[in-house]
Amino acid sequence: MPDVGPRVAIIGGGVAGLAVAWRLENPDDPTAPVPEVTVLEAASEVGGNLRTTVDGEFRVEQGANGFLDSEPATLELARAAGLGDQLIRSSDAARRRFLYVRGKVREIPTSPGAFLASDLFSWPAKLRMLGEILVPRRADLGRAAEAPDTDETVWEFGQRRLGRAFADTMLDPMVRGITGGECRRVSLAAAFPRMVELEHDHGGLFRAMIALGRQRRREGKAREGETGGPSGVLTSFRGGMQTLPRALADGLRGEVRTGGAVERLEPGDEGWWITTGDQRLGPFAAVVDSAPAHAACHYHPDAEVRELLAGIRYNPIVVTAVAFRREDVVHPLDGFGMLTPSTEKRPLLGVLWTSSIWQARAPEGTVLLRCMSGEESWLDLPDEEVVRRTCAELDHLYGLRGQPIRSWVFPWREAIAEYEVGHLARLARLEDALARTPGLVLAGSSYHGIAVNACMKDASRVADRVRDHLHARAAA
Ligand SMILES: Cc1cc2nc3c(=O)[nH]c(=O)nc-3n(C[C@H](O)[C@H](O)[C@H](O)COP(=O)(O)OP(=O)(O)OC[C@H]3O[C@@H](n4cnc5c(N)ncnc54)[C@H](O)[C@@H]3O)c2cc1C
């Protein structure tokens, strides 16, 4: 049993905070001192954006739908939390993805032949996309943090490399589907750093695909997806995504206090003090703040930090899950689901065909659809009205022959952080400002990646930062 070391508070019991807590309690170096960890969660249970509603035989995700199995940190933590046999892979059918373009649901082509035959793009647009291989590499890639004027939006990148039609038809709905945000605002370097790396290392995306394909063949990994290749297979847990934060919390030796929001955070001579409700907790040698920036900006002690956190934009998403008898939906729903570009001006960002993606999420003979809307006005509508509007759109998209047999509405007022152009420069300024209050580290999806995988990967960096601070404190 390792020695109990100094006390560390983790604000926020979402998956990011719990992963950091787990990393602190289970260092790679078994001789490293283990701090006494306390997790402070505002809600009545852990999980944050990972929430699963179980209603009879329906299992409905309120937030995240799954994660790609290409990030070893997520699988490692899941297995360490005892969930190895709970992992489930999405069905093979879910590899087919669709877009709603020019009034019709159309499949996204995944092979060169299907691309040439597809009516998703005009011939000039296809030729422009093929011309990507000739587009020169940008000279100033990778400098967005220190030179914000070199930061580029996802739309600018797409338009520069693959043409405007690609940016409007593919990238716009992808960014809306992932963040609820706007690809003409989102920073490529902050939200999709891998794209910057690929252009930087290989000179372009087609060149990168060719080089990485060769490399995979050399390594004998012929079929991406089956190998957990660069994109990976969409994965979840039998019991739904909330299984992960629950298991991480249950596996901690430290205390997890739910039902109390942190209201105040103060540095003191012996360490950090935290106020939640009528309790003042501390002193803590270090604090990891994994609450979203829109919450953290209210209680940080430093005015510049508060201002920088408050400047991170969040988009609303209303998730409406609707179940129908199978025969009441005309469309075959034979794939993952569908996204809609903003140019179509439809009320839904996209629809996940949940019962086609996962087994055992809906009773036999029924289908479960999870619809996402970015319409802010829907946040305050009664549930029945949200369901009525959603079903009107589903009828338009897929053809309905009957009423839903079940529905659930989950409004997320501040759903997902939008990493606008300048985000990396903002993070650099935050680092400088936080240096004035040592022992306070930010974690979670507001900063270094919005996906579950990004949070799980970043947890090791955050835990190392905390350990370095504890080490320096002990040596002082
Ligand atoms: C609708 C939706 C769909 C998504 N789909 C996917 C997906 O399919 N795949 C994917 O990888 N990611 C998806 N995401 C993103 C993913 O859910 C997040 O990246 C991840 O869950 C963020 O974890 P986190 O711990 O950083 O933040 P959160 O989950 O937000 O957790 C932060 C915690 O801090 C708590 N908190 C807030 N204020 C305080 C306070 N003052 N004191 C104490 N505690 C506080 C909150 O209650 C919360 O529990 C989705 C998100 C949403 C909203």
Side-chain angles (χ1 to χ4, degrees):
M1 177 82 178
D3 292 342
V4 171
R7 298 174 72 200
V8 174
I10 312 256
I11 303 176
V15 76
L18 292 167
V20 173
W22 196 92
R23 291 277 177 206
L24 284 171
E25 286 195 355
N26 300 276
D28 289 341
D29 172 2
T31 63
V34 174
E36 184 188 328
V37 173
T38 305
V39 178
L40 302 166
E41 166 55 46
S44 57
E45 60 175 337
V46 296
N49 288 348
L50 305 192
R51 276 185 199 286
T52 312
T53 293
V54 179
D55 186 346
E57 284 184 68
F58 291 102
R59 205 168 284 274
V60 187
E61 295 295 0
Q62 299 186 23
N65 168 57
F67 60 92
L68 295 173
D69 71 352
S70 48
E71 174 48 59
T74 310
L75 294 175
E76 187 199 332
L77 280 175
R79 291 191 178 116
L83 300 176
D85 60 352
Q86 296 297 308
L87 288 162
I88 52 166
R89 289 159 59 103
S90 51
S91 71
D92 285 348
R95 307 258 167 84
R96 297 179 70 195
R97 294 177 184 228
F98 296 79
L99 290 172
Y100 179 84
V101 175
R102 298 189 303 283
K104 213 175 131 195
V105 179
R106 298 166 201 264
E107 184 167 359
I108 301 176
T110 50
S111 68
F115 168 74
L116 293 175
S118 165
D119 60 358
L120 204 50
F121 296 102
S122 67
W123 275 105
K126 285 178 188 171
L127 289 173
R128 173 64 185 83
M129 286 158 66
L130 293 172
E132 197 267 346
I133 200 144
L134 304 173
V135 176
R137 179 198 333 239
R138 235 182 103 149
D140 53 5
L141 291 168
R143 301 189 51 234
E146 69 270 17
D149 55 327
T150 66
D151 205 352
E152 187 178 33
T153 67
V154 174
W155 190 88
E156 285 164 345
F157 166 82
Q159 193 258 357
R160 175 170 64 80
R161 294 223 57 94
L162 291 137
R164 188 185 176 124
F166 183 86
D168 283 342
T169 311
M170 295 289 291
L171 296 183
D172 167 285
M174 185 188 82
V175 170
R176 274 157 57 90
I178 295 175
T179 70
E182 167 51 63
C183 75
R184 288 173 190 257
R185 286 196 303 253
V186 171
S187 155
L188 183 82
F192 302 99
R194 179 79 178 132
M195 293 293 121
V196 178
E197 260 172 48
L198 291 178
E199 180 172 359
H200 180 270
D201 295 351
H202 301 280
L205 301 181
F206 283 138
R207 287 177 198 278
M209 268 164 59
I210 294 164
L212 295 174
R214 278 201 196 117
Q215 187 186 330
R216 270 203 302 281
R217 276 194 297 280
R218 267 201 309 275
E219 291 167 6
K221 295 175 180 173
R223 287 184 59 191
E224 175 191 308
E226 300 217 328
T227 61
S231 51
V233 176
L234 186 72
T235 301
S236 180
F237 301 93
R238 271 180 227 294
M241 286 298 283
Q242 199 169 358
T243 308
L244 179 60
R246 281 187 180 145
L248 286 172
D250 288 348
L252 290 178
R253 292 186 287 276
E255 190 187 3
V256 179
R257 299 169 72 122
T258 53
V262 168
E263 289 152 18
R264 215 179 148 96
L265 178 60
E266 304 157 84
D269 288 342
E270 313 111 286
W272 289 90
W273 292 89
I274 292 178
T275 308
T276 137
D278 55 7
Q279 289 187 304
R280 193 160 181 267
L281 309 172
F284 294 101
V287 175
V288 173
D289 192 356
S290 77
H294 65 77
C297 71
H298 295 298
Y299 54 72
H300 268 257
D302 185 284
E304 189 188 357
V305 171
R306 285 199 300 275
E307 191 194 320
L308 288 165
L309 294 177
I312 296 178
R313 181 192 187 101
Y314 283 78
N315 295 305
I317 296 183
V318 177
V319 173
T320 310
V322 207
F324 294 92
R325 276 182 291 273
R326 180 65 199 93
E327 61 272 22
D328 286 345
V329 182
V330 177
H331 193 279
L333 305 174
D334 45 355
F336 179 84
M338 185 208 77
L339 292 170
T340 314
S342 52
T343 45
E344 297 293 326
K345 305 211 178 327
R346 305 302 307 182
L348 297 181
L349 303 169
V351 182
L352 297 189
W353 304 339
T354 300
S355 45
S356 305
I357 303 173
W358 309 111
Q359 285 187 342
R361 293 289 161 104
E364 199 61 34
T366 67
V367 289
L368 179 61
L369 303 176
R370 218 177 72 120
C371 314
M372 287 161 299
S373 172
E375 303 278 330
E376 202 160 355
S377 62
W378 285 31
L379 288 168
D380 300 313
L381 292 176
D383 285 4
E384 313 80 68
E385 180 57 16
V386 173
V387 173
R388 194 192 64 75
R389 292 186 189 195
T390 302
C391 289
E393 182 63 4
L394 291 176
D395 186 27
H396 170 80
L397 295 171
Y398 310 134
L400 298 181
R401 296 195 191 103
Q403 295 298 313
I405 51 173
R406 221 31 174 256
S407 59
W408 304 261
V409 179
F410 309 114
W412 297 91
R413 200 163 284 277
E414 283 144 329
I416 301 182
E418 181 174 292
Y419 296 171
E420 291 177 278
V421 159
H423 183 79
L424 293 182
R426 179 186 300 275
L427 295 189
R429 285 182 60 200
L430 264 171
E431 279 295 312
D432 290 345
L434 284 167
R436 292 195 284 269
T437 49
L440 177 55
V441 187
L442 299 175
S445 57
S446 301
Y447 310 108
H448 295 284
I450 56 162
V452 170
N453 275 348
C455 297
M456 303 302 266
K457 184 175 176 200
D458 197 45
S460 295
R461 179 194 67 88
V462 173
D464 285 346
R465 290 280 297 271
V466 172
R467 272 191 284 269
D468 288 348
H469 171 72
L470 298 180
H471 189 70
R473 204 170 180 264

